[in-house]
């Protein structure tokens, strides 16, 4: 299939595009490069022998979308493009509603006009808000604690309303838990700008000496060792989840929602321990107060994805750390350094 991948040069988009090529699809990557580098295209070419078609542009540019959908004969869309920093969304809510909600609105209108009716959407476990009961099933109550979370909820609502209005739409919303890791070659991975917000890239930068010590945000949570527990999922497992969702969803009417997680929780100190094993030395940490807005624990019930899509996460925490370390130690400054 010819598949438009919005946000295709980003962290998850690049790994998914690589998998799409390996599976015989033709991804067309559209990205405005606000949080990624075009260098990743060369790496995908090295790994697959195919340099994907790339269009530098914005999903809010309707004439551009009309042209791409038509000229590239697009049959389905995987929609990654979004801003994703929770804290930044609290400071700049309008930017998040404009980019994430407004951008998706333009994309859906262009798809409707072009008659392209299959879309796989990047949602997030953040739509479960401050849920207390674990593991999280898809039918758990939904809420949001940030404009970023609200933007994901609003988009899910848009998809649900559109699917109800016209049975020709085929939507899949994938609620990711905590994507980490890198391609096993070490050629592509996550390259956050500035100080990493997320745990794994922060630890990786401690390991290569870019940061002094991990700041552990809270050690008195009601968890086995007092630190926050999350469901980490290898980015290649996540990428494979998109292929499974596309196979299952294409041409199937309605909105389907799936958690993509491993179903297992790991604490901050467990992740630090696993990364220390991967890089071969004990990494330093300091205890800091809890980060505002963090929940103690979050992990998925991934049963539905396994039962319906035949997909499950396969890679272990040790492998997530080993692959992150290979990428980070080969390219300590990311793509363009
Ligand atoms: P990323 O920032 O690496 O990738 C997003 C890409 O979209 C970037 O390359 C960016 O340049 C591009 N982009 C942003 N706005 C755009 C626009 N208006 N037009 C064109 N391109 C635009 O992030 P990621 O981690 O790969 O996340 C991909 C998706 O998954 C996002 O929708 C994110 O909200 C969602 N998600 C990510 C996580 C996570 O922890 N990484 C967790 C849950 C959900
Ligand atoms: N943590 C630290 N130190 C750090 C970074 C994180 O101790 O420097 C801790 C956090 O307190 C949390 C755990 O590590 O307990 C994981 O934190 P991340 O920031 O890596 O991930 P979150 O679960 O907080 O956030 C992720 C996504 C968000 C999404 C959220 C809810 O990054 O986009 O899940 O789904 F909104």
């Amino acid at each position: 299939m010819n598949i438009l991948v919005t946000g295709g040069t980003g962290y998850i988009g690049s790994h998914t595009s690589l998998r799409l090529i390996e599976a015989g699809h033709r991804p067309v990557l559209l990205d405005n490069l606000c949080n990624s580098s075009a260098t990743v295209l060369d790496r995908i070419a090295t790994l697959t022998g195919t340099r994907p078609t790339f269009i530098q542009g914005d999903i809010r540019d309707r004439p551009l979308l009309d042209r791409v959908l038509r000229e590239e004969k697009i049959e389905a869309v995987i929609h990654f493009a979004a801003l994703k920093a929770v804290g930044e969304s609290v400071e700049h809510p309008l930017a998040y509603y404009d980019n994430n909600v407004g951008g998706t609105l333009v994309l859906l209108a262009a798809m409707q006009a072009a008659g392209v009716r299959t879309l796989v959407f990047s949602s997030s476990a953040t739509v479960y808000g401050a849920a207390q009961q674990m593991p999280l099933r898809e039918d758990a109550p939904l809420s949001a604690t940030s404009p970023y979370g609200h933007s994901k909820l609003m988009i899910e609502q848009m998809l649900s309303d559109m699917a109800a209005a016209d049975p020709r739409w085929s939507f899949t919303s994938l609620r990711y838990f905590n994507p980490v890791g890198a391609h096993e070659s070490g050629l592509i991975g996550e390259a956050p700008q500035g100080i990493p917000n997320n745990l794994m890239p922060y630890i990786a930068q401690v390991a290569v000496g870019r940061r002094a010590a991990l700041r552990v945000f809270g050690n008195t949570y009601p968890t086995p060792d007092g630190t926050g527990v999350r469901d980490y999922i290898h980015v290649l497992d996540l990428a494979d989840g998109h292929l499974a969702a596309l196979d299952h969803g294409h041409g199937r009417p309605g909105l389907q929602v799936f958690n993509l997680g491993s179903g297992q929780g790991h604490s901050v100190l467990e992740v630090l321990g696993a990364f220390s094993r991967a890089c071969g030395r004990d990494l330093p940490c300091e205890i800091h107060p809890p980060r505002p807005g963090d929940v103690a624990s979050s992990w998925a019930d991934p049963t539905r994805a396994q039962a319906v899509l035949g997909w499950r996460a396969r890679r272990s925490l040790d492998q997530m750390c080993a692959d992150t370390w290979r990428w980070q130690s080969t390219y300590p400054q990311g793509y363009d350094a």
Side-chain angles (χ1 to χ4, degrees):
M1 273 200 282
N2 297 324
I3 300 164
L4 176 65
V5 182
T6 75
T9 50
Y11 171 46
I12 306 170
S14 57
H15 288 83
T16 303
S17 296
L18 180 140
R19 278 293 203 245
L20 288 170
I21 294 171
E22 288 175 345
H25 294 294
R26 189 176 80 89
V28 173
L29 282 55
L30 174 76
D31 202 299
N32 66 5
L33 301 179
C34 72
N35 197 37
S36 55
S37 161
T39 304
V40 74
L41 300 164
D42 300 332
R43 307 280 170 85
I44 294 174
T46 302
L47 290 168
T48 63
T50 303
R51 192 185 163 87
T53 303
F54 173 60
I55 295 145
Q56 183 171 353
D58 198 294
I59 53 166
R60 292 164 293 183
D61 181 344
R62 175 68 193 271
L64 174 70
L65 288 183
D66 287 342
R67 185 166 61 73
V68 171
L69 290 168
R70 189 181 61 246
E71 288 180 1
E72 303 292 342
K73 300 188 168 45
I74 297 299
E75 299 163 81
V77 178
I78 307 183
H79 177 33
F80 294 104
L83 302 177
K84 62 162 185 177
V86 175
E88 184 187 63
S89 81
V90 175
E91 283 171 43
H92 303 290
L94 202 55
Y96 276 69
Y97 292 122
D98 178 22
N99 204 81
N100 297 5
V101 182
T104 304
L105 200 82
V106 175
L107 173 66
L108 288 168
M111 287 176 67
Q112 179 160 272
V116 178
R117 297 184 192 280
T118 298
L119 178 118
V120 176
F121 170 62
S122 299
S123 189
S124 163
T126 195
V127 300
Y128 296 116
Q132 301 293 326
Q133 218 182 338
M134 298 299 143
L136 289 157
R137 277 184 9 174
E138 288 84 352
D139 57 4
L142 303 180
S143 67
T145 54
S146 70
Y148 169 71
H150 283 293
S151 77
K152 294 294 178 190
L153 273 180
M154 286 178 188
I155 294 166
E156 286 203 358
Q157 188 65 54
M158 275 161 53
L159 301 183
S160 165
D161 292 343
M162 289 178 68
D166 183 344
R168 289 174 299 174
W169 283 108
S170 164
F171 293 126
T172 309
S173 184
L174 301 177
R175 295 178 181 157
Y176 313 156
F177 280 68
N178 290 60
V180 298
H183 189 265
E184 62 266 8
S185 63
L187 283 178
I188 64 175
E190 186 174 15
Q193 296 172 351
I195 301 172
N197 293 310
N198 298 118
L199 179 66
M200 188 69 89
Y202 200 103
I203 294 178
Q205 292 195 4
V206 173
V208 286
R210 287 179 64 185
R211 316 256 160 226
L214 173 69
R215 300 167 302 171
V216 177
F217 296 139
N219 67 346
T220 56
Y221 284 114
T223 61
D225 65 18
T227 65
V229 167
R230 295 291 184 276
D231 184 337
Y232 297 93
I233 171 166
H234 196 293
V235 66
L236 287 178
D237 282 332
L238 196 64
D240 289 340
H242 291 74
L243 270 72
L246 204 59
D247 279 350
H248 178 264
H250 191 50
R252 187 180 299 265
L255 166 64
Q256 308 234 27
V257 180
F258 298 98
N259 286 336
L260 293 187
S262 73
Q264 240 194 311
H266 292 288
S267 75
V268 173
L269 294 180
E270 274 182 85
V271 177
L272 187 67
F275 209 102
S276 297
R277 285 195 295 280
C279 72
R281 71 181 176 96
D282 281 339
L283 298 173
C285 71
E286 307 159 342
I287 306 299
H288 283 244
R291 189 169 61 176
D294 272 1
V295 294
S297 300
S298 165
W299 71 90
D301 178 342
T303 310
R304 183 156 197 273
Q306 179 156 9
V308 179
L309 302 178
W311 170 93
R312 69 182 171 83
R314 294 172 187 281
R315 294 166 177 84
S316 67
L317 179 62
D318 282 330
Q319 190 166 354
M320 299 177 211
C321 293
D323 290 341
T324 305
W325 173 238
R326 194 172 303 110
W327 151 252
Q328 186 76 53
S329 53
T330 313
Y331 298 101
Q333 306 293 330
Y335 281 105
D336 292 320

